Amino acid sequence: MESGVENLESGVGSSVHDATPPGSPGSKRTGDARALRRSLVRLGERSGVPAVLVVLIIVYSLVLPQTFPTARNFSGILTTEDIVILVSLGGMVPLVGGEFDLSIGYVLGFSSMEVAVLTLNHGINVWLASAITVLTAVIIGMVNAFVVLRLHISSFIATLASGTVLSGLVLLISNSMIVTGSFPNSFVRLGFGGPGGIPPGVYIVLAFAVVMLYVLEHVPTGRRLEAIGQGRDAARLAGLRIDRLIFFSLVVSAGVSGLAGVLNTATEGSADPTVGPEFLLPALAAAFLGSTAIRPGRFNVIGTVLSVLLLAIGYNGLSQLGAPQWVSPVFDGCVLIVAVALTRGKVRNA
Amino acid sequence: MDEREEGTHRQVLLEVRGLTKVFDGVAVLEGVDLTVHGGEIHALVGANGSGKSTLIKILSGYHLPSAGSVTLASDAQEGDGQPMMAFLHQDLGLVESMSVLENVALSCGYRTSRRSGRIRWRSTREEVCTLLSEFGLGVQADSTVGSLGATDRRLVAIARAAHSLGNKRGVLVLDEPTAELARNESHRVFEVMSLVAKRGAGVLFASHDLADALLLAQTVTVLRDGRVVACVESKSSTVEDLVTYMFGAAEEALLETEEQHLSAASASKSEAHGQPAPAPAVRLTGLCSFHLKDVNLDVWPGEIVGVTGLVGCGKSELGRVIAGAQSPISGTISIFGGPPTRFVSPHAALAAGVAYVPPDRRRFGGVLTMDARENVTLSTVGSFFQKGWLRKHQELDSVARQMVEVGAVPRNPRHVFGVFSGGNQQKLVFARAQRIVPRVVVLDEPTHGVDVATIPELFHLIREMTERGCGVVLITSDLDELVALSDRVIVLGDGQCTEELIGKDVTAAEVDLAIARGRRERVH
């Protein structure tokens, strides 16, 4: 399993090496035309996802001029996708370090239920309940890390198991029923309205994406995490503290999923014990799709956010055009395969 | 029966003519001729880099020869199909979690029912048990390979390889069949090899151990720098003869570079030893680990201590223990007179000033998919984190400058590590080591897989480290490299220091003899 990911990455990763940077003295000697072509190829590699995104927006705007290019439609897309973006970014952190967190969907579901139960059934202040919930999620991340690092169980299995346990605990704390009631207005407001017609929840998610961008790409920790993901043995011998980094990544992914759960309850106004697992696959798919763009071969924040939007907008347009429901998942899966295959194909030609 | 054996003994089974192999313009093998007869045991000896393993890799089809031919005589006796070769590489290719029975069946085929394709376990088992008893192996067919000792594993692998020849009189080729075994165990391997030859197959084995070669083989072929320099009858030869063949001219050629280096080395050494150094750069006291047994060693600042020995002697493990990549069972390490300690992780060793250049660059040396810049600053990326930002331009400039210093080409810090050639990758690993400003440097096979032209540059980088007052531990199986660099050589045998060579004694021939002596002494 892990080796599969490595292969994917090494394939994608080596695509960066091909050329001298455009404009360097070397490129003049080899001929401007060739250099131009090379830099175009590189641009194409980096900007596959954004380019498709732009094309989709243009095409849908032309085909559906009344309903698609409207502020209302876009704020609607952002409102439904902010939680997916958040979970994708959380799940991406362990992927950067070469580990899987399959419990993110279940942590989301559990947290969504926990905040509802604490607030509605136990009468705790909703913000205090939110804080407790995120803290619980962080503890779940620590447990995951303990199982992976101390019991030496692969993260794939460990988080699959902990996720399964959580799916049972949700039933326990909710009595297997939807928990609903009146949340304070300030809490529910996270999910709708807000400045510019965009709900505060979306701003929270975007702010969080910026923080992630900073931590993963502008702080040494991000570089180290990438190194252990791409070459664990070499990184260990270079003196990197593998255990700390894995601990960090699993705690972040669980904590972020907990936050997403709280946001989900605010948006929905209730907590459903069956919510959660359906977030897992789209979140990981977006992270993988994101790794084909912006910084090909590396999981990255901007690529992941754009990938969530690409898949969402693709679905939005298709459904407005009257495509039946089954089309959307088929579309998502095919996009993922095609994007990864194209990036790898370029490597072979290089 | 006897007549039949007599007939096959004369038969030429494998004939190699004018075999030449060129890598990157360097001839690794040049016009090698070799003949293996049925029923004969043929030894292939030579120093490291003489071309033994390349020859075996060509025979096994891993490399294509640049010129020359390999001919297998067709088997007149059986008349069915192609004659065959079977190989036993240093990695035995056994699946540890599977049983002896399954391991044999994996390569020789399971007996299956014609009709359903189902495995017929009973007849498969009978076949394997017959094989085990024929070769006198006292192992159960059902025991997992992982539970067997090193010798038994090797015997199972040899029996399996011999069995895969089937009834045909093929050639069994073994690469260092006894390298990892204790001396008193290797005779069991010899018995099995003799048995294979008695049954009419030809046996060709590469060996580091000259005494073994003379003891076991009828014919010994000596390789030097890719050429056959002698093909002798073992009855009329001695170990000393073989050493002369192996190193004869090489010794003289080495002398020149040697003298240049000696003057440089003595200068640096007198510097280091002139003023009494307060403490050794590394002091190992009673170090024991999986393979190592009570190793004591002092490496002084400015000194290069070479560590060598056969495969499995624990030299690589010694490097890992000093670098914190493996925890010792007991014993301590002290850096520049610091408190005796044990490193629990490479990070701890790094913090104490120990830099490590690991073997197997592609796996341990660098992160293949990350660029040169990221690999060079892997240990020290924190130093570019200023005022809340990772200063990437500063990092890029700094690495670009350093790439010029160490001579890594192409000089683009954005190139991915995996596309650099072996030598340039190693220069980048050295650059990373330099960045931590080490006080002790541990090098494990630093020039393995590096093109000939780059090796002197790496030597220069290594000497430069000693000039800065580092203690250098050079772990290598390449005797030329060992002799060219080391002020002192420690020979390891079976996890213990068996010999120490200083100054004039550090020659390829002496070291090779010391390695061979080390193994023999352990028997007595």
Side-chain angles (χ1 to χ4, degrees):
Chain A
M1 181 69 230
E2 279 185 28
S3 72
V5 179
E6 272 165 32
N7 282 342
L8 163 72
E9 289 198 38
S10 60
V12 177
S14 14
S15 65
V16 199
H17 68 73
D18 56 350
T20 37
S24 76
S27 63
K28 265 178 204 144
R29 260 174 285 151
T30 52
D32 283 344
R34 225 172 110 199
L36 184 69
R37 220 195 66 191
R38 274 187 188 170
S39 56
L40 279 179
V41 167
R42 276 179 54 163
L43 189 70
E45 274 170 10
R46 280 160 194 272
S47 54
V49 169
V52 174
L53 189 59
V54 169
V55 169
L56 274 183
I57 291 175
I58 292 173
V59 170
Y60 286 148
S61 301
L62 293 176
V63 179
L64 303 160
Q66 264 87 51
T67 51
F68 184 78
T70 61
R72 198 170 174 198
N73 191 32
F74 281 114
S75 87
I77 291 173
L78 284 175
T79 311
T80 48
E81 295 304 322
D82 59 351
I83 291 165
V84 182
I85 292 177
L86 198 55
V87 182
S88 300
L89 291 176
M92 190 189 80
V93 178
L95 289 180
V96 173
E99 300 289 336
F100 274 93
D101 189 345
L102 299 184
S103 68
I104 46 177
Y106 301 100
V107 173
L108 186 155
F110 181 80
S111 303
S112 171
M113 184 55 72
E114 185 183 351
V115 73
V117 167
L118 287 178
T119 312
L120 300 178
N121 297 5
H122 296 277
I124 295 175
N125 175 288
V126 71
W127 299 112
L128 180 61
S130 301
I132 294 173
T133 301
V134 173
L135 193 66
T136 314
V138 165
I139 292 169
I140 294 168
M142 290 177 177
V143 172
N144 281 339
F146 173 81
V147 175
V148 171
L149 297 172
R150 287 285 167 268
L151 307 185
H152 302 286
I153 292 172
S154 88
S155 58
F156 195 87
I157 298 170
T159 56
L160 184 64
S162 68
T164 309
V165 168
L166 286 175
S167 69
L169 293 181
V170 170
L171 298 178
L172 173 74
I173 62 172
S174 68
N175 253 332
S176 306
M177 287 190 295
I178 293 177
V179 175
T180 182
S182 56
F183 284 100
N185 250 346
S186 56
F187 184 64
V188 183
R189 281 261 173 78
L190 285 176
F192 66 89
I198 295 169
V202 175
Y203 291 108
I204 292 177
V205 169
L206 293 181
F208 181 77
V210 172
V211 172
M212 290 272 292
L213 185 68
Y214 170 73
V215 172
L216 289 181
E217 295 182 20
H218 298 283
V219 169
T221 307
R223 175 76 63 79
R224 296 193 182 112
L225 199 60
E226 281 182 347
I228 72 163
Q230 310 221 358
R232 181 77 49 97
D233 293 322
R236 174 180 286 119
L237 291 179
L240 269 56
R241 279 178 281 191
I242 313 285
D243 285 9
R244 279 189 186 200
L245 290 164
I246 292 176
F247 179 87
F248 162 81
S249 72
L250 288 173
V251 167
V252 167
S253 69
V256 170
S257 306
L259 187 63
V262 172
L263 208 55
N264 191 59
T265 302
T267 312
E268 302 288 327
S270 65
D272 183 332
T274 64
V275 148
E278 75 275 14
F279 283 93
L280 171 65
L281 292 181
L284 294 186
F288 277 107
L289 185 56
S291 75
T292 66
I294 312 296
R295 304 171 71 209
R298 311 275 179 96
F299 293 101
N300 64 85
V301 172
I302 297 175
T304 300
V305 172
L306 292 179
S307 298
V308 174
L309 294 179
L310 170 66
L311 298 177
I313 286 175
Y315 169 65
N316 178 275
L318 285 175
S319 65
Q320 286 192 32
L321 288 169
Q325 221 176 354
W326 62 264
V327 172
S328 159
V330 173
F331 171 81
D332 294 0
C334 292
V335 167
L336 181 60
I337 292 290
V338 170
V340 174
L342 279 181
T343 331
R344 298 194 69 184
K346 286 210 184 79
V347 178
R348 287 203 197 95
N349 297 337
Chain B
M1 179 70 194
D2 271 344
E3 270 170 37
R4 203 182 90 167
E5 271 188 16
E6 205 48 35
T8 54
H9 280 192
R10 299 279 165 262
Q11 194 189 348
V12 173
L13 289 182
L14 172 69
E15 186 151 30
V16 173
R17 284 286 163 263
L19 206 64
T20 299
K21 180 69 193 176
V22 180
F23 285 118
D24 300 326
V26 180
V28 186
L29 287 180
E30 265 186 286
V32 169
D33 295 337
L34 187 76
T35 308
V36 180
H37 298 269
E40 175 199 39
I41 300 184
H42 194 128
L44 196 59
V45 302
N48 280 297
S50 60
K52 284 180 307 206
S53 48
T54 311
L55 178 55
I56 287 180
K57 280 178 182 163
I58 291 177
L59 291 179
S60 69
Y62 183 80
H63 291 314
L64 283 175
S66 309
S69 65
V70 177
T71 317
L72 278 162
S74 57
D75 192 331
Q77 210 95 41
E78 303 298 329
D80 58 336
Q82 287 290 306
M84 295 176 62
M85 282 198 274
F87 290 87
L88 186 76
H89 297 287
Q90 291 200 31
D91 179 348
L92 302 175
L94 297 170
V95 183
E96 290 200 2
S97 58
M98 293 174 93
S99 70
V100 171
L101 173 66
E102 287 167 309
N103 268 287
V104 173
L106 272 180
S107 76
C108 302
Y110 285 93
R111 292 291 178 90
T112 52
S113 153
R114 284 258 164 83
R115 233 175 302 158
S116 61
R118 173 182 69 83
I119 294 174
R120 288 166 61 203
W121 282 105
R122 201 187 299 163
S123 57
T124 306
R125 178 185 305 276
E126 273 166 20
E127 187 184 326
V128 172
C129 288
T130 314
L131 176 73
L132 295 178
S133 66
E134 260 177 49
F135 283 102
L137 268 62
V139 299
Q140 297 293 315
D142 289 317
S143 29
T144 56
V145 165
S147 68
L148 302 180
T151 314
D152 280 330
R153 285 185 205 192
R154 202 154 275 267
L155 294 175
V156 167
I158 295 176
R160 179 174 81 168
H163 189 56
S164 72
L165 291 172
N167 291 322
K168 295 167 200 155
R169 247 162 277 293
V171 179
L172 177 63
V173 182
L174 307 99
D175 192 5
E176 301 281 356
T178 59
E180 284 164 67
L181 302 183
R183 183 77 188 174
N184 51 358
E185 292 276 288
S186 45
H187 70 94
R188 294 181 60 200
V189 174
F190 296 161
E191 281 164 20
V192 172
M193 284 165 66
S194 307
L195 200 65
V196 174
K198 261 197 201 115
R199 288 164 50 162
V203 176
L204 174 67
F205 75 104
S207 179
H208 211 100
D209 193 312
L210 304 177
D212 277 0
L214 287 175
L215 189 73
L216 188 62
Q218 282 99 51
T219 319
V220 180
T221 293
V222 186
L223 284 179
R224 186 173 75 213
D225 298 332
R227 290 183 197 164
V228 174
V229 289
C231 181
V232 298
E233 294 284 309
S234 61
K235 275 177 245 160
S236 52
S237 306
T238 64
V239 170
E240 282 70 23
D241 291 342
L242 295 182
V243 169
T244 316
Y245 288 131
M246 280 165 64
F247 298 105
E251 286 291 84
E252 290 159 28
L254 268 176
L255 275 179
E256 290 173 31
T257 52
E258 191 63 356
E259 272 165 26
Q260 292 168 6
H261 162 228
L262 269 181
S263 53
S266 59
S268 74
K269 226 193 272 179
S270 60
E271 214 173 285
H273 290 278
Q275 0 161 330
V282 205
R283 165 165 283 171
L284 308 179
T285 315
L287 213 56
C288 296
S289 69
F290 189 64
H291 277 108
L292 299 175
K293 290 166 198 147
D294 192 27
V295 173
N296 297 290
L297 179 65
D298 284 351
V299 179
W300 294 87
E303 186 187 34
I304 301 180
V305 173
V307 178
T308 192
L310 296 173
V311 175
C313 69
K315 59 181 187 297
S316 210
E317 194 167 305
L318 179 66
R320 283 200 301 274
V321 168
I322 301 174
Q326 185 178 338
S327 298
I329 296 166
S330 64
T332 58
I333 302 170
S334 160
I335 305 295
F336 276 87
T341 175
R342 281 177 217 169
F343 299 132
V344 291
S345 68
H347 182 265
L350 204 76
V354 180
Y356 183 43
V357 175
D360 191 357
R361 261 183 314 280
R362 297 185 72 78
R363 177 165 175 208
F364 296 114
V367 182
L368 292 181
T369 52
M370 294 179 88
D371 61 27
R373 163 193 59 144
E374 290 167 316
N375 271 286
V376 169
T377 63
L378 195 53
S379 308
T380 51
V381 62
S383 65
F384 294 100
F385 186 64
Q386 286 150 13
K387 294 180 187 154
W389 294 92
L390 192 54
R391 306 288 165 177
K392 290 181 191 166
H393 289 287
Q394 216 172 309
E395 182 192 14
L396 216 56
D397 291 345
S398 164
V399 171
R401 274 198 303 276
Q402 204 187 1
M403 284 174 77
V404 175
E405 270 171 42
V406 300
V409 281
R411 288 204 181 116
N412 185 348
R414 285 188 187 274
H415 265 31
V416 172
F417 186 79
V419 305
F420 284 88
S421 71
N424 285 305
Q425 287 183 348
Q426 197 67 313
K427 286 176 188 167
L428 294 175
V429 177
F430 272 75
R432 176 164 77 222
Q434 284 177 356
R435 267 177 191 269
I436 69 166
V437 195
R439 301 199 287 173
V440 174
V441 182
V442 180
L443 309 162
D444 195 342
E445 303 289 357
T447 62
H448 190 252
V450 169
D451 53 307
V452 185
T454 311
I455 290 178
E457 295 180 53
L458 291 177
F459 282 9
H460 178 72
L461 289 175
I462 294 171
R463 295 204 180 105
E464 219 172 55
M465 288 168 170
T466 63
E467 280 156 24
R468 291 181 201 164
C470 293
V472 175
V473 180
L474 170 70
I475 296 156
T476 181
S477 52
D478 183 329
L479 297 187
D480 292 341
E481 171 181 314
L482 191 76
V483 170
L485 287 173
S486 307
D487 299 313
R488 189 151 59 97
V489 170
I490 305 291
V491 178
L492 283 186
D494 203 18
Q496 289 166 307
C497 297
T498 56
E499 219 154 319
E500 179 171 353
L501 305 170
I502 305 175
K504 275 188 205 155
D505 290 341
V506 181
T507 64
E510 281 294 330
V511 173
D512 211 59
L513 282 173
I515 293 172
R517 264 202 303 275
R519 296 193 63 201
R520 248 167 294 159
E521 271 162 15
R522 257 177 293 129
V523 192
H524 303 305

